[in-house]
Amino acid sequence: MFSVLRFSTIKNLRNVRTFASSTSNHFDIIIAGGGLVGTSLACALSKNKILSERNVLLLEGAPPFKGFECGEYGNRVSALNNNTVDFFKNIGVWEKISAARFKPVKQMQVWDASSNASITFNHDNFSENVAYIIENDLVLDSVYKELESAKNVQIKNLAKIEDVDLEGLATKSVKLKGGEEFTCDLLIGADGVNSLVRKQMKVDTYTHNYNEMGLVATLELDGNACDNSVAWQRFLPTGPVALLPLNENKSSLVWSTTPEMAKKLQSLPADEFVDELNKAFVKEYPKNEFVSNALRVLDTIMNSDSQSSRQYPPKVRSVVERSRACFPLGFMHSSSYVRSGVALVGDAAHRIHPLAGQGVNLGFGDVKCLVEVLADGVYGGATLSDKLVLLKYEKDRLVHNVPLMLGIHGIQSLYSSSFSPLVLLRSLGLQITQNAPPLKNLFMKKAMG
Ligand SMILES: Cc1cc2nc3c(=O)[nH]c(=O)nc-3n(C[C@H](O)[C@H](O)[C@H](O)COP(=O)(O)OP(=O)(O)OC[C@H]3O[C@@H](n4cnc5c(N)ncnc54)[C@H](O)[C@@H]3O)c2cc1C
């Protein structure tokens, strides 16, 4: 199905401005990495009126994508925000996703197992849904299908980049395993958290290992979960456990916990795993009397009832066979996203904890911004490698990404502590926000994009 996109069958590049005059191994833009972010970047470049005649090569180390079918739900899903959905609409991808399947989230409930402080976000507070739960493979499939009509993009699979030379003034070059070499005016690293492009840029990175794994799985819910449109997240002392709705009776799990516990949960017999999971949402943890009293006082002052207003998630009945998988979780931020003729997007530039479901949303935001900035620059007469143009991209994204990433990192740190003053601080913060609609709306608007 995707053979038309493979490099071995180079398409007729009628629309490529520089291809005929350049050597066959030179491209205007090379994208290193064809994950969610790299492929959507190729698609966005093909849709932009100013850039759609620039020849683009997408290099992906993995074999060609096998496609997507609406059978059993995949275990890798993302909570995508409204900005991402708008971006997908603009690059022609949303139509394909919505024709297949997605689940709008109408409410989100988050609560703290150490104090029972909770917060609920409703879509009624906003005109739009809180988020959309979509399988990663469906996004990839939809982007690949849209790329089939992109005249300026070539995709080469099984193209593992082994070396990157960024020292050339006019061109950057990449060398694949096997020896093949390509050059370009602009090299974009979309090659994930261990980005080779970033390493060759020799930029500083701030990294933090959470010493947590994210256990994912597809779950079947008990009986009547109604329309199952609530996303649930409970902060346990070992990390947050979250249920993301997929349809009326299925949800996706993201359970962040210690590596030892994640491995144990992954290997438990299915029925024991389901028992542990159901317990994780209802189990009572030791409460600090001082924190509980403070919350009761706050309830009285704010005329609220935090304990009875909280609902509980639907009971999980079973876990889909072979759907359990573990992923390491960490924080990484590159001190710089660009240098002359080079830019980073997505996890190659930044990586965050999945507790707020923002990682790939930030990546799609990078793509949208980079394409707009490049198009403006080229329209104004700049080259694709112009550092001043690329610096504008970096500045715009740092202003957006850094506060959000620090906020999520802060929440992760705050919730991984059982130190009473911190439990008090976070519980009061959650409870005050819950009872202060303007504050709650502000947080929600930030998270919704
Ligand atoms: C458990 C979990 C849950 C998550 N949930 C959410 C969520 O709900 N919402 C959200 O927004 N984000 C979420 N995220 C984050 C999200 O998954 C990532 O941000 C996203 O996948 C990053 O995409 P990417 O394309 O930048 O990088 P990647 O997915 O890492 O893709 C990089 C690509 O580059 C290729 N590559 C790497 N090196 C080379 C090389 N040398 N040569 C050629 N190709 C190469 C790889 O094969 C890969 O295809 C979650 C993450 C985890 C772990």
Side-chain angles (χ1 to χ4, degrees):
M1 166 186 193
F2 294 110
S3 58
V4 287
L5 291 169
R6 290 169 67 176
F7 195 68
S8 51
T9 55
I10 292 178
K11 292 185 290 176
N12 175 13
L13 295 164
R14 278 172 294 142
N15 214 13
V16 174
R17 200 168 57 91
T18 57
F19 193 74
S21 59
S22 63
T23 63
S24 60
N25 278 9
H26 185 81
F27 291 80
D28 293 318
I29 300 174
I30 291 180
I31 302 169
L36 293 172
V37 174
T39 49
S40 69
L41 171 62
C43 194
L45 287 168
S46 76
K47 298 282 170 177
N48 185 283
K49 284 198 180 76
I50 295 165
L51 301 171
S52 63
E53 296 196 353
R54 301 299 175 125
N55 56 343
V56 176
L57 173 64
L58 176 65
L59 295 171
E60 166 56 44
F65 179 62
K66 60 186 183 329
F68 173 87
E69 278 171 23
C70 275
E72 185 49 81
Y73 281 87
N75 62 359
R76 290 306 309 271
V77 310
S78 297
L80 300 178
N81 64 26
N82 288 294
N83 273 355
T84 294
V85 170
D86 286 346
F87 167 66
F88 283 170
K89 285 179 183 162
N90 287 335
I91 63 168
V93 164
W94 182 247
E95 218 177 289
K96 295 181 172 58
I97 292 175
S98 55
R101 60 188 180 192
F102 68 98
K103 183 72 185 173
V105 177
K106 296 186 181 148
Q107 197 187 55
M108 201 156 75
Q109 184 175 289
V110 179
W111 73 112
D112 184 349
S114 302
S115 70
N116 279 342
S118 69
I119 191 162
T120 307
F121 298 102
N122 278 308
H123 90 301
D124 305 348
N125 304 7
F126 313 92
S127 53
E128 300 160 299
N129 290 306
V130 175
Y132 300 80
I133 309 301
I134 306 174
E135 291 149 280
N136 291 1
D137 275 358
L138 173 56
V139 175
L140 262 186
D141 189 55
S142 306
V143 177
Y144 271 121
K145 283 195 174 129
E146 196 56 28
L147 274 171
E148 284 177 18
S149 58
K151 297 189 172 65
N152 63 325
V153 178
Q154 294 178 49
I155 300 174
K156 187 172 168 64
N157 282 102
L158 294 171
K160 178 141 182 61
I161 302 169
E162 246 181 17
D163 199 10
V164 174
D165 182 358
L166 305 179
E167 298 314 314
L169 281 184
T171 59
K172 310 296 166 198
S173 62
V174 297
K175 189 173 173 188
L176 303 187
K177 186 179 174 190
E180 213 172 350
E181 286 186 45
F182 298 95
T183 57
C184 59
D185 297 343
L186 174 62
L187 174 63
I188 304 176
D191 46 348
V193 69
N194 297 315
S195 169
L196 181 63
V197 177
R198 188 186 69 241
K199 283 174 192 154
Q200 290 305 104
M201 284 169 75
K202 309 235 175 346
V203 288
D204 290 331
T205 52
Y206 175 75
T207 55
H208 179 77
N209 181 354
Y210 290 123
N211 195 29
E212 275 183 14
M213 300 281 275
L215 171 71
V216 299
T218 310
L219 307 167
E220 275 152 5
L221 307 174
D222 225 8
N224 50 354
C226 301
D227 71 339
N228 191 32
S229 56
V230 182
W232 310 87
Q233 179 153 265
R234 188 180 198 209
F235 281 94
L236 309 178
T238 43
V241 55
L243 286 187
L244 306 173
L246 293 172
N247 66 18
E248 287 69 20
N249 49 27
K250 285 200 174 154
S251 286
S252 186
L253 171 73
V254 184
W255 191 344
S256 309
T257 186
T258 60
E260 300 74 34
M261 191 168 156
K263 288 282 168 218
K264 187 181 149 214
L265 288 167
Q266 193 182 1
S267 58
L268 277 180
D271 52 343
E272 288 179 35
F273 170 74
V274 169
D275 285 347
E276 288 299 319
L277 178 56
N278 282 322
K279 255 193 264 164
F281 279 104
V282 294
K283 183 179 164 188
E284 283 295 325
Y285 286 87
K287 305 271 178 310
N288 179 296
E289 201 46 38
F290 180 62
V291 175
S292 301
N293 281 338
L295 285 177
R296 271 195 288 275
V297 172
L298 189 68
D299 267 349
T300 314
I301 295 169
M302 302 194 91
N303 201 16
S304 62
D305 186 355
S306 56
Q307 301 307 305
S308 67
S309 62
R310 198 183 53 252
Q311 299 169 306
Y312 285 94
K315 203 168 166 213
V316 174
R317 191 183 59 207
S318 58
V319 55
V320 170
E321 220 181 314
R322 288 192 298 276
S323 69
R324 280 176 278 175
C326 286
F327 299 90
L329 305 179
F331 179 99
M332 188 282 296
H333 192 255
S334 175
S335 60
S336 177
Y337 294 1
V338 302
R339 61 179 268 185
S340 185
V342 191
L344 299 173
V345 287
D347 274 22
H350 43 68
R351 175 203 202 189
I352 49 172
H353 196 287
L355 70 88
Q358 290 297 315
V360 80
N361 286 299
L362 292 184
F364 292 130
D366 295 346
V367 168
K368 182 171 176 287
C369 176
L370 180 60
V371 172
E372 282 169 6
V373 166
L374 285 175
D376 283 352
V378 167
Y379 187 71
T383 61
L384 285 169
S385 59
D386 192 316
K387 188 161 179 199
L388 284 179
V389 172
L390 295 172
L391 279 172
K392 165 135 183 44
Y393 157 71
E394 176 180 273
K395 180 171 155 269
D396 287 0
R397 289 316 286 167
L398 285 178
V399 166
H400 183 272
N401 295 350
V402 171
L404 203 84
M405 291 183 68
L406 289 178
I408 294 168
H409 183 55
I411 291 173
Q412 200 284 335
S413 310
L414 198 58
Y415 277 90
S416 49
S417 170
S418 53
F419 182 50
S420 297
L422 287 185
V423 177
L424 177 66
L425 182 74
R426 73 194 190 208
S427 303
L428 290 179
L430 211 59
Q431 220 51 51
I432 289 170
T433 310
Q434 166 70 357
N435 290 296
L439 198 58
K440 190 154 107 170
N441 289 355
L442 193 75
F443 280 127
M444 203 53 217
K445 284 210 170 98
K446 276 266 166 222
M448 285 168 65

